[in-house]
Amino acid sequence: MIIEPVRPFLACEFRVKSATEAWERNRAAALRREVFCEEQRIFLDDDRDAIDDVAIPLVALSSLAITHEDVVGTVRIHQQRSGVWWGSRLAVARPYRKVGAIGTSLIRLAVGTARGFGCQRFLAHVQSGNAPLFHALHWQTLEQVSLHGRPHHFMQADLMHYPALTTPETGFLSHLKQAA
C-alpha cells in the first residue's frame, strides 16, 4: 500500500483589506514575528518599530464559506510626508507562499490604498529574493542596499498600474492559484 502525503488544507478564497478588527491586527503582528523573527531571524523578539505607531496594517484573510478564518498575509503602509508613501513588512504564511496571489494582492491593495489617500510616490525596501515579483508588478529598482545585514532593493511602484482604492476597509476578494 502506497500512502501519499496529504497536503494541508488551504482556503482558496481570501479577502485583502485594512485590518479593522483587533484580532486581525494581533494575528498580523504574530505573522510578522513568525516570518521576520523566528523564520528569517532578522529581528530578535519583535519586529515592531516606530512606524507601527502611524502605519495602516493591511491583511489577507483566508475564508471558509462566509467566515474569515485567519490572517495569512500582511503588509503595512504609511505616509512619510505629503504624497510619499512606503510599504514594509510584507509577510505571507509559509503554506500560502507557493500557491500565488496573496503577496501580489497585498501589494495591489497597499499601493491602491495609498493612491486613494493621494499618494504620488510609493516606495519600499524589498528583500532581493522578492525583487523579481515586484519587477513583474511594475516596480523599478532605484538602488541596491543592505538592510539588517541582508541585500535589498530600494524600489518604486509605477502608479499608473495601480488604480486608487477608496474602500480599504472592505478591500477586495481574490483566489489562490493552486499549484499542481
Side-chain angles (χ1 to χ4, degrees):
M1 174 198 258
I2 298 174
I3 299 176
E4 303 239 351
V6 177
R7 289 185 185 187
F9 173 78
L10 298 178
C12 63
E13 184 175 89
F14 60 96
R15 176 165 299 280
V16 290
K17 62 186 260 328
S18 60
T20 55
E21 304 291 330
W23 75 267
E24 295 169 344
R25 289 186 296 277
N26 292 338
R27 277 298 301 138
L31 177 58
R32 283 175 37 184
R33 273 190 304 280
E34 288 171 24
V35 171
F36 299 115
C37 300
E38 297 168 22
E39 182 183 327
Q40 296 182 6
R41 300 185 190 281
I42 294 173
F43 305 99
L44 286 177
D45 298 318
D46 196 1
D47 73 316
R48 285 189 55 84
D49 59 20
I51 292 171
D52 285 302
D53 295 337
V54 297
I56 300 169
L58 307 176
V59 293
L61 303 172
S62 63
S63 296
L64 294 174
I66 59 170
T67 304
H68 296 306
E69 177 194 42
D70 199 6
V71 172
V72 297
T74 187
V75 67
R76 67 183 182 179
I77 61 172
H78 78 282
Q79 183 173 227
Q80 180 186 42
R81 62 180 183 275
S82 182
V84 179
W85 285 73
W86 282 78
S88 57
R89 301 293 204 272
L90 175 64
V92 175
R94 186 184 298 261
Y96 286 86
R97 290 182 196 156
K98 297 296 181 193
V99 292
I102 292 183
T104 298
S105 294
L106 284 165
I107 293 164
R108 285 180 41 221
L109 177 68
V111 180
T113 298
R115 291 218 48 217
F117 286 119
C119 174
Q120 297 169 1
R121 188 173 189 210
F122 195 95
L123 305 166
H125 285 112
V126 177
Q127 290 184 22
S128 291
N130 296 325
L133 169 64
F134 282 76
H135 287 140
L137 296 174
H138 306 285
W139 287 63
Q140 74 176 76
T141 297
L142 303 175
E143 180 182 9
Q144 292 188 34
V145 297
S146 178
L147 291 175
H148 308 292
R150 299 187 182 217
H152 283 70
H153 286 232
F154 173 44
M155 302 186 83
Q156 178 173 307
D158 180 348
L159 297 181
M160 298 304 294
H161 294 277
Y162 294 89
L165 180 64
T166 57
T167 57
E169 64 282 351
T170 56
F172 56 86
L173 200 60
S174 194
H175 299 275
L176 294 179
K177 299 172 189 124
Q178 292 289 347

